[in-house]
Amino acid sequence: MLDKIGIAKRIAQEVQDGTYINLGIGIPTLVANFIPENINVVLQSENGLLGIGPFPDEEAVDADLINAGKQTVTTLKGSSLFSSAESFEMIRGGHVDLTILGAMEVSENGDIANWKIPGKMVKGMGGAMDLVASADNIIVAMQHKSRSGDSKLLKTCTLPITGIKCVKKIVTDMAVLDVLPQGGFKLLERAPGVTVEEIKNATEGELIIEGDIPEMNI
Amino acid sequence: MINKEVSNAREAIRDIPNNATLMLGGFGLCGIPENCISALVEKGTTGLTCISNNAGVDDFGIGLMLKTRQVKKMISSYVGENAEFERQLLSGELEVDLIPQGTLAERVRAGGAGIPAFFTPAGYGTEVSEGKEVREFHGKMYLMEEWLKADFALVKAWKGDKSGNLVFKGTARNFNPMMAQAGKITIAEVEELVEIGELDPNEIHTPGIYVQRIFQGVDYEKRIEQRTTRIK
C-alpha cells in the first residue's frame, strides 16, 4: 500500500515535459515535490498565478501572493499574474494540459464526486467543477477504500457529483487504473505488496484485468 | 481628467442602503476591501446580498459582517473557513448560493461587459445544472449562466490614481477587476493613492472609467490565512 507521498510520487511519473498543470489541494499539491529536475512544467493556481514557486522564506512572506489553498507562495522567473476570469478562461479554454485533483468517489464511467457530503457542512465546489468539466486530461489521487473499508471506485457515485465522464486515470494507495472511454476501470499497476485479488475486493465498479499486472516502480 | 477621490471609507459607502447587492473583491483574505468592510460594520447596514468568492473567516473580512448579522445572502464558490457562517446557514438565518468559481468569475465579467448570458461546461450533469437551460455545442453539453451585477462593487487595489485607474499586486487581483466593471457604483480603496498622471498608462490593470469613487485606505492588516514558509 502507498502512503500519500507514494501516491504523489507515482503521479509525478505521469507528468510530461513542457506542460501547464493545475494541482488541487491535498495529495495533488505534493506532486510538485517529485517532478524530476529534467521535466519543465508550469503550475497554474486558479486564483491568478502561472508559475507557482516554492513556499517563501519567513522574511519573504507576502500576504498578496497565495495559492488556491490560501498558502503563501512565491513567483518564479517567468511567472505571470492575472484575474480570476482570465484564470478560468485558461482552464475552460483548454490551455491547461493536466489537472490533478483528489476525489471522494469515482464511478466506472469517469464521474467524480469530491465537493459535498449531504448532511455535513457544505463548503462549496470552488474551482473543481470548472476544472473537471474542461480539462482534457484529469488524474485523480485518492484512497481506494473509505476508512470503514468501502470501495470508493464505484459503479455509480453515491455522493453529489462534481463532473460527469471526465476522469481518465486514477492513482490510489493500491493501484494505477485507467477509466476506459466505454466505461470500466482498467487495472494497470499494483502498489508494492498489494495483490490483484485485494484490488478486486476493493473495487466495486467493473474492474478489467488483462494479463500480468506489474508492481509500480517508485 | 475627472477627480473621483473621496476622503475615506465612511464617505465612500455613505449611501449604501439596507438590502443592497454588493460585490466584494478578494480570494480568501487576499485583496479584500478591508476599509469598506469596517465602515459597513460601523454603519450597521443590513439585509445585504454579498457576491464574493469566499465569506472571510470568523473575525475578519466578510466574517465581520456575518457576525453582526448584516448579510442576508451570500453568493460564493467556497465558504469553508467560517464557523459563524456554518451556524447561520444551518439555522436558516442565511441564504447561500454556491457557484463554480469559474462560473462566478465569468458571470461577474459578463455583468460588466454587457453579456446577459453565456454557456459553460462547468456543472453540467451535477446539481448545479438544475433548472438551467442546457445546450449542445460541437458534441459537448453546456449550461446557460446569466450575468451578475451589483448596486455597489467594493474593490481593493495596490495603487490607484485620483481618476480611478487601478494597479493590483500579486494574486490580490483575483475578482477585483471584473467586480469593478460590474458595479453600478464602484468604490476602490487603495494602499497608495497618487496624483493623476503618476501611473504609467501601460501598466493600468483597471481603467478609471469603471471606478466612481476612490480613496486612500488606512491601517491595512492584510491577514494571512495559511502562513506557509520554507523549512530551512
Side-chain angles (χ1 to χ4, degrees):
Chain A
M1 299 269 266
L2 299 178
D3 58 7
K4 288 179 179 178
I5 300 285
I7 295 173
K9 282 184 175 169
R10 179 60 192 82
I11 292 176
Q13 295 174 5
E14 300 291 321
V15 170
Q16 290 180 2
D17 191 39
T19 54
Y20 291 86
I21 305 174
N22 182 289
L23 301 177
I25 294 161
I27 298 174
T29 305
L30 297 174
V31 173
N33 302 327
F34 304 109
I35 297 172
E37 291 265 323
N38 59 335
I39 301 276
N40 287 304
V41 298
V42 179
L43 301 179
Q44 200 246 19
S45 191
E46 63 262 27
N47 57 321
L49 168 61
L50 264 178
I52 308 172
F55 295 136
D57 294 329
E58 188 59 42
E59 58 274 15
V61 165
D62 180 355
D64 290 329
L65 200 58
I66 62 171
N67 63 18
K70 285 131 190 160
Q71 297 170 309
T72 45
V73 293
T74 54
T75 53
L76 297 168
K77 284 180 184 170
S79 289
S80 56
L81 295 153
F82 37 86
S83 72
S84 301
E86 179 149 17
S87 180
F88 284 93
E89 286 165 13
M90 287 174 199
I91 291 166
R92 279 190 309 265
H95 307 283
V96 176
D97 301 298
L98 172 64
T99 289
I100 302 172
L101 76 173
M104 300 193 273
E105 293 176 349
V106 173
S107 78
E108 64 188 29
N109 67 352
D111 295 353
I112 179 171
N114 72 351
W115 76 282
K116 182 179 184 181
I117 303 175
K120 293 195 179 174
M121 178 53 193
V122 177
K123 293 177 188 296
M125 64 291 279
M129 286 192 181
D130 309 273
L131 282 159
V132 301
S134 308
D136 276 336
N137 195 4
I138 298 176
I139 301 179
V140 164
M142 67 188 294
Q143 305 297 323
H144 213 107
K145 293 185 285 184
S146 69
R147 284 204 189 86
S148 53
D150 298 324
S151 178
K152 298 168 109 181
L153 277 64
L154 305 171
K155 286 192 186 311
T156 312
C157 291
T158 62
L159 295 169
I161 59 172
T162 311
I164 61 167
K165 294 183 185 166
C166 54
V167 177
K168 300 278 166 38
K169 189 178 279 286
I170 306 168
V171 178
T172 75
D173 51 344
M174 301 181 77
V176 180
L177 311 102
D178 271 350
V179 180
L180 299 180
Q182 68 273 27
F185 300 109
K186 182 168 186 197
L187 183 58
L188 301 177
E189 296 174 23
R190 299 173 288 117
V194 176
T195 66
V196 169
E197 202 55 35
E198 286 171 318
I199 296 166
K200 262 190 205 168
N201 291 335
T203 309
E204 188 223 75
E206 187 193 0
L207 186 68
I208 297 151
I209 304 163
E210 285 172 4
D212 280 344
I213 305 299
E215 195 170 279
M216 293 178 203
N217 184 13
I218 294 177
Chain B
M1 281 287 165
I2 305 164
N3 188 332
K4 299 170 183 175
E5 185 187 9
V6 295
S7 55
N8 53 35
R10 194 181 302 176
E11 190 193 334
I13 63 123
R14 63 191 182 271
D15 53 352
I16 296 183
N18 292 341
N19 305 309
T21 296
L22 309 182
M23 285 181 181
L24 298 99
F27 181 95
L29 302 178
C30 181
I32 61 173
E34 291 183 24
N35 282 205
C36 282
I37 291 171
S38 299
L40 281 167
V41 170
E42 188 187 287
K43 186 164 177 254
T45 316
T46 58
L48 297 171
T49 294
C50 293
I51 301 167
S52 174
N53 188 54
N54 311 91
V57 295
D58 278 330
D59 59 348
F60 201 59
I62 293 174
L64 295 170
M65 297 198 294
L66 288 167
K67 206 190 260 176
T68 47
R69 308 282 310 278
Q70 292 172 266
V71 182
K72 179 179 72 183
K73 180 174 180 179
M74 284 296 315
I75 299 175
S76 304
S77 89
Y78 188 83
V79 292
E81 339 273 3
N82 193 317
E84 174 62 16
F85 181 96
E86 180 174 347
R87 191 196 66 71
Q88 291 186 21
L89 177 60
L90 295 174
S91 68
E93 295 162 57
L94 183 67
E95 274 177 73
V96 180
D97 246 2
L98 291 170
I99 298 176
Q101 194 177 141
T103 300
L104 178 62
E106 191 64 14
R107 286 179 68 184
V108 174
R109 197 193 72 81
I115 305 286
F118 58 92
F119 286 88
T120 176
Y124 171 69
T126 76
E127 64 183 52
V128 167
S129 65
E130 282 165 26
K132 288 181 185 151
E133 183 178 338
V134 173
R135 273 177 69 177
E136 183 180 334
F137 295 93
H138 305 283
K140 188 167 171 170
M141 305 306 281
Y142 295 82
L143 299 181
M144 192 175 82
E145 295 281 0
E146 292 187 21
W147 62 11
L148 282 170
K149 296 183 182 213
D151 302 321
F152 291 84
L154 313 179
V155 303
K156 153 80 195 324
W158 178 37
K159 289 181 191 172
D161 70 22
K162 291 179 178 178
S163 70
N165 291 310
L166 304 178
V167 178
F168 303 96
K169 177 169 156 276
T171 54
R173 193 180 321 182
N174 55 62
F175 284 80
N176 283 298
M178 299 84 76
M179 288 183 171
Q181 289 173 277
K184 238 176 258 157
I185 294 184
T186 291
I187 299 167
E189 56 175 90
V190 296
E191 286 177 62
E192 192 184 342
L193 184 64
V194 300
E195 294 300 325
I196 293 168
E198 285 183 38
L199 294 177
D200 179 351
N202 288 299
E203 292 177 358
I204 306 289
H205 293 134
T206 290
I209 188 170
Y210 302 119
V211 175
Q212 279 68 47
R213 300 172 193 166
I214 188 165
F215 67 93
Q216 167 71 57
V218 293
D219 301 329
Y220 281 105
E221 183 178 341
K222 296 173 76 166
R223 199 185 291 187
I224 294 172
E225 265 177 87
Q226 306 280 342
R227 190 185 189 89
T228 319
T229 54
R230 212 183 308 214
I231 303 150
K232 284 193 181 170

